[in-house]
Amino acid sequence: MQDYPIGRTDIPWNEDEKDEWLKSQTIQRSYADEVLSKFIRISKDFKKNHYGVLPIDASRYPLYAFTTSKWDVNKPNVLITGGVHGYETSGVQGAIEFLIHHAPRYSRHFNFIVAPCVSPWGYETVNRWTTNAYDPNRSFAPISFSAEAQLLMDFVKGFISSEPKALLAHFDLHETTDTDNSEFRPALAARDGLHIDKWQIPDGFYTVADTKKPQLSFQQAIIASVEKVTHIAPSDDEGRIIGAKIISTGVICYDKSSLLLCGGFTDAEYVTTTEVYPDSPNATPQSCIEAQVAAITGGLDFLLSHAK
């Protein structure tokens, strides 16, 4: 049964319905004020790279990534991505917070590529999708329908193409929110003409490892670090988290490359997708940002101790 205001029951959206959806989206916050303005506080140890613009408004949505200024080919390389889903605020702000306050001390050991806000239109409209109603985190294909995904892939792959070690690790910063059930899953069902059940939203932090290379000790180190800041998600009534089997406390797996997730587009040995729950009565916006930072620092500390 259709429970979304756009579309017809059991029939995927046509182009007119996608356009109707796009016209219903509104600007709710400022990318310039909340994201771009903070870049001035980032150390000169990191170079600001303008790697593209979103076609809907090139002047409003420039895309930036920060890279280690004195790139050392003898150091391992780490990718951090925030705001692939633009509405997931703590991923964006956590990436910026890491760059400002923590990245300089870790730059002795790692080269960094940090893209704080991959989907700025989604950030401003508090949206999961792109302007053409695609989920950017299901769009990391060799040729993508998402400008956000394509531009990021082109930049990262171009930047490390001559690197013998490519990427050691990739931290992709996300949130799971109550709007998954109230807005985004109903919209997905309407767009695709399918029935999609709501899921039990996990109350707490968890990580999504890659099925092909879960690196469980790495994930557990992240959980241990975040647990000092906020609570870890328990299993749901079926002993799962968002329908996936738990392989360790607060850790599940997805096959990231087959699902075309951001975490699957590189050959990084250590990959994690962080998931913060900002709607928890036990969370605050600041604690969610701190959880994202703790996930990065906990993972990096593990790599310093264990990765060769």
Side-chain angles (χ1 to χ4, degrees), residues 113-179:
I113 304 172
V114 184
C117 190
V118 175
S119 299
W121 179 82
Y123 186 89
E124 287 205 327
T125 59
V126 191
N127 212 295
R128 183 179 180 89
W129 288 349
T130 64
T131 57
N132 53 357
Y134 281 97
D135 184 335
N137 203 36
R138 299 296 187 278
S139 300
F140 282 81
I143 300 176
S144 178
F145 291 107
S146 161
E148 293 86 342
Q150 189 69 61
L151 290 165
L152 177 67
M153 287 190 293
D154 290 347
F155 174 74
V156 172
K157 290 180 177 180
F159 197 86
I160 65 171
S161 61
S162 61
E163 283 291 301
K165 295 183 180 179
L167 286 173
L168 174 64
H170 180 187
F171 297 81
D172 191 28
L173 312 181
H174 285 259
E175 295 179 344
T176 304
T177 71
D178 287 346
T179 52

Side-chain angles (χ1 to χ4, degrees), residues 52-293:
V53 298
L54 294 189
I56 190 172
D57 192 330
S59 62
R60 189 180 185 105
Y61 301 121
L63 298 167
Y64 294 101
F66 289 84
T67 55
T68 301
S69 294
K70 296 180 181 179
W71 195 273
D72 184 344
V73 295
N74 296 308
K75 293 178 182 177
N77 306 324
V78 174
L79 172 64
I80 299 170
T81 47
V84 172
H85 289 142
Y87 74 105
E88 296 172 2
T89 309
S90 68
V92 176
Q93 300 301 331
I96 296 172
E97 186 84 359
F98 173 78
L99 273 169
I100 293 172
H101 296 293
H102 301 273
R105 68 184 171 94
Y106 284 102
S107 63
R108 292 178 296 166
H109 308 286
F110 302 100
N111 298 314
F112 287 104
I113 304 172
V114 184
C117 190
V118 175
S119 299
W121 179 82
Y123 186 89
E124 287 205 327
T125 59
V126 191
N127 212 295
R128 183 179 180 89
W129 288 349
T130 64
T131 57
N132 53 357
Y134 281 97
D135 184 335
N137 203 36
R138 299 296 187 278
S139 300
F140 282 81
I143 300 176
S144 178
F145 291 107
S146 161
E148 293 86 342
Q150 189 69 61
L151 290 165
L152 177 67
M153 287 190 293
D154 290 347
F155 174 74
V156 172
K157 290 180 177 180
F159 197 86
I160 65 171
S161 61
S162 61
E163 283 291 301
K165 295 183 180 179
L167 286 173
L168 174 64
H170 180 187
F171 297 81
D172 191 28
L173 312 181
H174 285 259
E175 295 179 344
T176 304
T177 71
D178 287 346
T179 52
D180 284 7
N181 278 339
S182 63
E183 170 61 25
F184 299 119
R185 288 176 72 78
L188 176 63
R191 186 198 67 182
D192 294 346
L194 301 172
H195 174 78
I196 297 176
D197 291 328
K198 293 182 178 181
W199 53 24
Q200 188 172 323
I201 304 295
D203 185 353
F205 178 92
Y206 63 101
T207 70
V208 184
D210 193 325
T211 303
K212 295 186 177 73
K213 45 186 174 182
Q215 299 289 8
L216 185 55
S217 295
F218 172 64
Q219 309 296 337
Q220 290 171 332
I222 291 170
I223 293 294
S225 180
V226 173
E227 199 167 21
K228 298 173 184 177
V229 175
T230 191
H231 57 294
I232 306 304
S235 60
D236 62 19
D237 297 339
E238 297 180 350
R240 296 172 177 263
I241 292 178
I242 60 169
K245 179 182 177 181
I246 297 173
I247 64 169
S248 181
T249 300
V251 182
I252 61 173
C253 286
Y254 275 7
D255 188 334
K256 298 193 176 189
S257 58
S258 69
L259 291 171
L260 307 180
L261 304 182
C262 181
F265 86 88
T266 77
D267 292 326
E269 183 179 354
Y270 294 87
V271 178
T272 193
T273 300
T274 66
E275 293 287 354
V276 172
Y277 179 46
D279 299 311
S280 171
N282 299 312
T284 66
Q286 185 58 35
S287 72
C288 291
I289 294 169
E290 291 171 1
Q292 300 283 18
V293 173

